[in-house]
Amino acid sequence: RSRSWVCCALALLTLTTAVRAENWPQWRGAKLDGISHETNVPLKWSKDENIAWRAKLPGPAGSTPVVWDDHIYLTSAEGNDLVLIALNTAGKQLWKQTLANHNETVRGDEGNFASPSPSTDGKHVWAMMGTGDIGCYTADGKEVWKFNLQERYGKFDIQFGMTSTPVLDGDRLYLQLLHSGGAWVLAIDKLTGAEIWKQKRASDAHDECEHSYASPIIYRDAERSLLVTHGCDYVVAHRLDDGSEVWRCGGLNP
């Protein structure tokens, strides 16, 4: 199954080559809605059909590759290491950075600690691993900052690993850390890693329901912009300026 994960990642990389006219800077795309407006892209592929090139990856990962111009960024396990890799759109590796040295697989080989997806604004790229190690790098691979979320916000207590992907918006990264050891929603400065705000996320969930593997999203319309988090039996909307709660929807586990 690990080999099939690698093949799946390669198929995604090939697809991103076809849509390079539109950047895909994070896992839900440029407008955070999961929609690409490109046309005439392959609708199906196989081992040989609609494959422009192949590049061997060092190991499996469940993350989404992201693309800016001719750069592709992705995370992967490499033995016990957790790495961020940059390729060009011809499949050549440009650089690789190790964020952590402690990989774990979950549910057999169904997942691992390289599951969160990276994000980029074209000048920098950010990546987080299930260990809580999170870092910022320039487009040519130089480290800007790196720290461990568990050291700053407490040890993770979550059954299958912290797989939530931070969402990049403006000059901030927004994160949800929902687990039995604590429940926090955070905003950090994307260029320094400094905390902008931290909000405790209240919930009456218990046992495994305290664990969330979801990723936060940004909701935006003509009147409002909100950070939406999911897990611990609730969907909660937060103000972007300070993380305070605007509304919540419960009843997810009747």
Side-chain angles (χ1 to χ4, degrees):
R1 293 185 61 177
S2 294
R3 289 184 63 189
S4 70
W5 284 16
V6 173
C7 289
C8 179
L10 290 174
L12 287 169
L13 292 179
T14 303
L15 182 59
T16 57
T17 303
V19 297
R20 62 177 296 183
E22 180 181 19
N23 291 322
W24 194 263
Q26 52 190 321
W27 77 276
R28 287 184 56 80
K31 295 185 178 180
L32 307 174
D33 58 6
I35 297 174
S36 170
H37 299 281
E38 292 294 331
T39 59
N40 300 318
V41 299
L43 298 179
K44 60 181 180 178
W45 57 86
S46 67
K47 184 177 180 180
D48 303 308
E49 183 180 16
N50 287 324
I51 300 295
W53 49 263
R54 296 178 184 276
K56 186 176 181 180
L57 303 181
S63 58
T64 298
V66 298
V67 183
W68 193 283
D69 294 337
D70 62 349
H71 279 55
I72 301 169
Y73 303 103
L74 58 99
T75 57
S76 178
E78 185 174 24
N80 201 45
D81 292 339
L82 299 167
V83 298
L84 172 65
I85 301 172
L87 306 171
N88 65 20
T89 47
K92 178 183 177 181
Q93 181 174 304
L94 302 175
W95 53 263
K96 178 175 64 177
Q97 284 278 7
T98 299
L99 271 78
N101 307 106
H102 179 70
N103 183 39
E104 289 186 17
T105 58
V106 298
R107 296 173 63 92
D109 63 352
E110 187 174 306
N112 64 19
F113 280 1
S115 293
S117 300
S119 57
T120 183
D121 63 1
K123 297 179 180 179
H124 297 86
V125 55
W126 295 266
M128 169 185 153
M129 300 297 181
T131 55
D133 292 282
I134 183 171
C136 171
Y137 300 87
T138 63
D140 57 2
K142 296 180 181 179
E143 181 180 313
V144 178
W145 56 261
K146 185 172 74 170
F147 68 91
N148 187 278
L149 290 159
Q150 295 192 79
E151 294 175 358
R152 185 181 288 186
Y153 299 107
K155 184 176 176 59
F156 296 156
D157 182 1
I158 185 168
Q159 188 170 3
F160 300 122
M162 185 59 69
T163 57
S164 178
T165 293
V167 60
L168 173 66
D169 187 60
D171 60 359
R172 299 179 179 184
L173 286 171
Y174 296 96
L175 300 85
Q176 63 171 62
L177 305 177
L178 307 183
H179 56 96
S180 294
W184 301 104
V185 182
L186 315 168
I188 63 175
D189 187 289
K190 71 176 187 179
L191 294 182
T192 67
E195 179 185 299
I196 297 174
W197 53 254
K198 175 181 73 172
Q199 283 286 351
K200 182 71 175 177
R201 192 176 181 279
S203 171
D204 54 5
H206 57 85
D207 300 321
E208 190 178 352
C209 291
E210 295 175 339
H211 302 178
S212 175
Y213 308 96
S215 302
I217 63 171
I218 300 290
Y219 171 82
R220 186 169 276 119
D221 61 26
E223 298 179 357
R224 61 189 67 83
S225 296
L226 299 169
L227 176 70
V228 181
T229 62
H230 178 227
C232 302
D233 291 351
Y234 293 93
V235 176
V236 180
H238 309 263
R239 292 182 178 87
L240 296 183
D241 57 350
D242 62 5
S244 58
E245 184 173 320
V246 179
W247 54 256
R248 66 172 48 206
C249 175
L252 303 183
N253 283 305

